[in-house]
Amino acid sequence: MIKLANRRSLNVVMHLLGWGIIFGLPLLVNNRETQTMSIDKYIGYAITSFAFVLMFYVNYLYLIDKFLFNRRTFAFILLNAVALVAVDFLTGLVREFYMDHFHSMNPEDFRPHDDRPPMIIFKLRDYMVMSLMVGLAVAIKTTSKWFRMDAEKKELEKARAEAELQNLKSQLNPHFLFNTLNNIYSLVSIDQDKARYAIDGFSRLLRYVLYDNDHQFVPLGKEIAFIRSYIELMSLRVSDNVKISVSLISFDNNILVAPLLFMTFVENAFKHGVSNSKPSFINVTMDVKDNIIIFITENSYYPKVDPDRNSPGIGIDNLRKRMEMIYPGRYTLFTDVSGEKYVSRLTLDTAN
């Protein structure tokens, strides 16, 4: 609303400035050095200039929107032709009225002399200038409409992107919660004490997901604490043959990141990197240099045979979509499978 008011105020100022220059020009420039600009001559000039102003605003305020922008071009041209004649006739009446009642000059000063060009030349000049006023009004209105439509398009694109991002986040949260609850459910039949501890840890994770995740960005330190809690929770149900290495330093909280940005990699590491019968490993590391975050996960690769669990679903595809909307051109995402080893690497520039 404030931007719209400012734009309208600027338009008013620009119009006043433009017409001020046109009406003030005769007072600043005189083509005939032997003559001065008398009040009568200036009023004669102003009457003609008023015709130009009238043609401009008839189009600017009504004809262009009503006819030209509604693709009624023929009606637009016809009405402008009628307006040209009507405005010229009105201008003539005003000029005659002024000469008969108010002027202090000889009426002949307003009428053509033998040494002046024929009146038709002046008429054609005035018609040409009024036509230019119509063209100017069309150019200004068209440009203004283009800028307005472009601004509306950007607003719509922003709203659509925000809605899509919110949709992706709403998919991510149930996905994460479902996987976590599955892990806790598995613990119940194995170790009830661990299950109770896991439920307590899960409540902390749930608080972060429900509250902090509603923000567009969160401090990096909070995200790291969340990842640590998640890894600790998931570690309760893995066997001794799984080696877990975590290198996450508490970085400056001035660095802000989108919430749950790294969880896809950590979830996938526990989902596809753990075997109950074979040696397994999960390595999670993060490094930050000059607002550049490098997040790496390495894990043994034992893809699940269950189609539902092995489906990429939200996973990496969801993450790529989020990254494109939040960090376009500011990230690189690399994943690779080599034998029984899976590597993911995300490099992110968090600087605004």
Side-chain angles (χ1 to χ4, degrees):
M1 186 67 68
I2 295 177
K3 289 183 178 180
L4 180 60
N6 290 339
R7 190 180 302 116
R8 288 176 176 173
S9 299
L10 180 61
N11 285 338
V12 171
V13 171
M14 294 300 293
H15 281 242
L16 292 175
L17 180 62
W19 296 122
I21 292 174
I22 290 177
F23 280 92
L25 193 61
L27 303 178
L28 302 176
V29 179
N30 192 357
N31 293 330
R32 299 182 180 180
E33 297 179 357
T34 59
Q35 290 184 337
T36 59
M37 178 60 66
S38 66
I39 184 64
D40 291 305
K41 287 184 178 180
Y42 179 77
I43 290 177
Y45 170 84
I47 290 173
T48 302
S49 298
F50 178 75
F52 304 154
V53 174
L54 187 59
M55 280 302 300
F56 178 88
Y57 283 110
V58 164
N59 280 271
Y60 186 83
L61 298 177
Y62 181 72
L63 293 181
I64 295 173
D65 289 325
K66 185 71 174 179
F67 296 95
L68 186 61
F69 286 169
N70 288 322
R71 299 183 179 181
R72 299 169 63 183
T73 308
F74 179 77
F76 175 76
I77 295 174
L78 180 61
L79 287 172
N80 266 291
V82 173
L84 282 173
V85 176
V87 170
D88 179 65
F89 177 74
L90 178 62
T91 303
L93 290 179
V94 173
R95 185 180 291 110
E96 291 292 334
F97 181 80
Y98 173 76
M99 287 190 298
D100 292 339
H101 296 84
F102 298 101
H103 81 288
S104 59
M105 297 179 62
N106 190 320
E108 295 301 320
D109 290 333
F110 282 101
R111 298 187 175 94
H113 294 274
D114 292 339
D115 60 340
R116 293 182 180 179
M119 180 59 69
I120 187 64
I121 299 298
F122 294 98
K123 292 286 186 182
L124 291 176
R125 179 203 63 186
D126 292 344
Y127 279 17
M128 182 181 68
V129 176
M130 284 191 286
S131 298
L132 290 176
M133 290 296 103
V134 175
L136 178 63
V138 171
I140 293 176
K141 287 288 285 190
T142 302
T143 303
S144 177
K145 181 180 180 181
W146 183 87
F147 278 113
R148 184 174 65 254
M149 292 178 63
D150 185 62
E152 291 174 354
K153 180 181 178 181
K154 289 180 179 178
E155 287 295 325
L156 288 174
E157 290 176 349
K158 180 181 178 181
R160 184 168 58 249
E162 290 177 351
E164 184 176 354
L165 180 59
Q166 188 61 39
N167 181 54
L168 291 173
K169 290 172 66 177
S170 67
Q171 294 178 32
L172 177 64
N173 291 351
H175 175 75
F176 160 75
L177 296 176
F178 178 77
N179 284 347
T180 308
L181 285 173
N182 266 349
N183 289 326
I184 294 177
Y185 175 78
S186 301
L187 278 176
V188 171
S189 60
I190 300 174
D191 190 325
Q192 293 186 0
D193 290 335
K194 284 187 177 182
R196 284 193 293 269
Y197 180 79
I199 292 173
D200 180 66
F202 178 65
S203 67
R204 295 193 299 271
L205 297 180
L206 186 62
R207 188 179 300 110
Y208 181 85
V209 170
L210 292 180
Y211 296 103
D212 290 343
N213 188 38
D214 284 340
H215 298 88
Q216 185 177 4
F217 297 99
V218 296
L220 180 59
K222 281 191 174 183
E223 188 72 7
I224 290 174
F226 176 80
I227 294 173
R228 286 184 178 277
S229 297
Y230 179 82
I231 294 175
E232 181 181 2
L233 180 61
M234 295 300 100
S235 299
L236 295 176
R237 66 178 295 266
V238 300
S239 59
D240 293 336
N241 68 331
V242 180
K243 305 301 181 183
I244 300 177
S245 173
V246 179
S247 177
L248 299 173
I249 304 173
S250 296
F251 296 102
D252 187 352
N253 279 342
N254 288 329
I255 297 178
L256 300 177
V257 295
L260 302 180
L261 199 61
F262 310 103
M263 280 308 302
T264 298
F265 302 118
V266 181
E267 281 188 279
N268 284 343
F270 279 95
K271 182 177 179 180
H272 300 294
V274 175
S275 172
N276 294 326
S277 58
K278 299 179 181 179
S280 308
F281 71 93
I282 296 175
N283 298 329
V284 180
T285 62
M286 177 184 288
D287 190 19
V288 179
K289 295 179 180 178
D290 298 327
N291 292 316
I292 303 296
I293 299 176
I294 302 174
F295 186 81
I296 302 173
T297 59
E298 297 177 322
N299 56 270
S300 47
Y301 188 59
Y302 303 111
K304 303 301 183 291
V305 296
D306 184 347
D308 291 334
R309 297 188 66 190
N310 197 37
S311 172
I314 301 164
I316 298 297
D317 184 55
N318 186 324
L319 178 63
R320 289 186 188 277
K321 290 179 180 179
R322 290 188 70 203
M323 298 296 293
E324 282 298 325
M325 285 187 284
I326 304 174
Y327 300 103
R330 297 161 54 194
Y331 79 97
T332 57
L333 177 57
F334 169 81
T335 60
D336 181 61
V337 178
S338 179
E340 295 185 346
K341 181 180 179 180
Y342 183 91
V343 178
S344 62
R345 178 187 179 97
L346 173 64
T347 303
L348 174 64
D349 184 359
T350 62
N352 293 328

